[in-house]
Amino acid sequence: MFQIIERRMIVPNLHELVVEAPDIAQAAQPGNFIIVRPDEYGERTPLSVADWDREAGTVTSIFMQVGGSTAKLARLKPGDSMPSCAGPLGKDTEIENFGTVLCVGGCYGIGSLYPVACALKEAGNKVYTLLEGRSSYLLYWQDRFAEVSERVIEVTRDGTAGYKGHISRLAEILTLEKIQPDLIIVNGCTFLMMKTSKVTEPMGCKTIVNMNPIMIDGTGMCGVCRLTVAGKMKFACVDGPDFNGHEVDWEEFLKRRQTYNPEEVHPLRKSGCASHF
Ligand code: FES
């Protein structure tokens, strides 16, 4: 059993989960994920790793409550425990001195972007962070990113913080901020990663996305996480989760990602537990 050290809502519908898992904490690297089950009957849920404490033996993830299993996770309290927590899984994010790197994060991806930004800074990169959300109250960890970034840029759809609009303004924002990235790394929802990749392709700037498909085993056995990258079939859990965003077949990915929406979200809606969807 894996003990819950902390579980709290950090912004509406996004939760921080800290689990005692010493072996995972020892081995975790930026870009990795874990697979948890909230209880004996819960499905296996992949969560990107957002932080770890090797001394305390804890691993932190940020997750969004979207369906039945994440609703169960969102009810966990410190002192509760989960029957399984497997990881770290997936390849590490490639970290080297690329020069100037723009880290783009949104939603739960802001969490998993944090260790990436830290490692890039440590490798000698000039790191800029761009956080994107519907409104300022949905952004978090700006202070953490400020410690490892030249600048933290905010983009909100309602204009309550930073630039008003969407990531589609990225080219214009980079010009205004006088940033010429050698690499862009995006962690967040599928739409953020897809839209960023579409904007950066004409700019010719390599863009790495941290894919978040439906997963079961997380070890390359079931094939559920398959996606097409550069015309070839890949398994996100063992070949990724990081891929070149310009090579991902986004249309196919979106379709596969939404396969179980009716089973996951609609029962919650009917029960009144998911009024925000
Ligand atoms: Fe089963 Fe990737 S989750 S092959």
Side-chain angles (χ1 to χ4, degrees), residues 14-274:
L14 284 183
H15 300 257
E16 179 179 19
L17 179 73
V18 184
V19 189
E20 189 174 41
D23 292 344
I24 300 176
Q26 276 311 316
Q29 294 294 333
N32 292 161
F33 64 95
I34 54 177
I35 291 189
V36 301
R37 275 191 311 146
D39 62 29
E40 258 183 77
Y41 307 102
E43 65 184 337
R44 295 164 64 84
T45 307
L47 303 177
S48 299
V49 166
D51 205 358
W52 52 83
D53 184 331
R54 300 205 204 279
E55 245 172 65
T58 59
V59 181
T60 302
S61 287
I62 305 291
F63 71 91
M64 183 187 223
Q65 187 184 333
V66 285
S69 295
T70 46
K72 283 182 184 172
L73 282 176
R75 286 198 291 271
L76 291 171
K77 302 179 297 300
D80 288 347
S81 50
M82 295 188 297
S84 62
C85 178
L89 298 163
K91 286 187 176 165
D92 307 345
T93 295
E94 200 184 319
I95 303 289
E96 56 181 77
N97 191 341
F98 299 102
T100 299
V101 184
L102 177 72
C103 293
V104 177
C107 196
Y108 49 83
I110 294 175
S112 56
L113 188 66
Y114 175 64
V116 176
C118 292
L120 286 166
K121 171 79 178 168
E122 209 177 309
N125 291 281
K126 227 176 181 186
V127 178
Y128 291 89
T129 298
L130 186 152
L131 304 180
E132 196 263 6
R134 266 188 295 121
S135 191
S136 57
Y137 71 88
L138 294 170
L139 304 179
Y140 56 96
W141 286 11
Q142 290 95 325
D143 50 342
R144 292 193 185 196
F145 281 101
E147 282 174 22
V148 294
S149 309
E150 304 292 314
R151 208 146 62 234
V152 178
I153 300 157
E154 294 174 318
V155 180
T156 51
R157 253 158 281 166
D158 62 3
T160 46
Y163 291 94
K164 183 174 182 174
H166 199 269
I167 198 66
S168 49
R169 286 189 69 190
L170 181 60
E172 176 201 351
I173 292 169
L174 290 177
T175 307
L176 291 168
E177 295 283 338
K178 299 185 175 55
I179 301 169
Q180 287 186 310
D182 298 296
L183 178 72
I184 296 177
I185 298 185
V186 198
N187 282 19
C189 72
T190 306
F191 284 103
L192 178 70
M193 296 191 292
M194 179 178 72
K195 285 191 174 160
T196 309
S197 301
K198 292 204 165 149
V199 173
T200 59
E201 197 163 7
M203 290 162 46
C205 184
K206 187 169 177 186
T207 300
I208 300 297
V209 292
N210 188 266
M211 300 301 278
N212 50 6
I214 296 164
M215 291 190 185
I216 295 181
D217 65 297
T219 58
M221 304 283 282
C222 69
V224 166
C225 66
R226 68 183 178 275
L227 69 162
T228 304
V229 181
K232 295 202 177 93
M233 189 176 75
K234 299 280 180 189
F235 289 170
C237 65
V238 288
D239 299 318
D242 284 354
F243 294 100
N244 184 337
H246 300 155
E247 296 179 342
V248 171
D249 182 336
W250 290 104
E251 208 175 304
E252 177 200 62
F253 185 79
L254 271 174
K255 269 194 212 142
R256 289 186 59 79
R257 188 82 175 76
Q258 289 162 358
T259 309
Y260 296 106
N261 269 10
E263 287 79 2
E264 269 288 285
V265 179
H266 294 182
L268 278 182
R269 250 195 209 136
K270 272 170 99 183
S271 71
C273 292

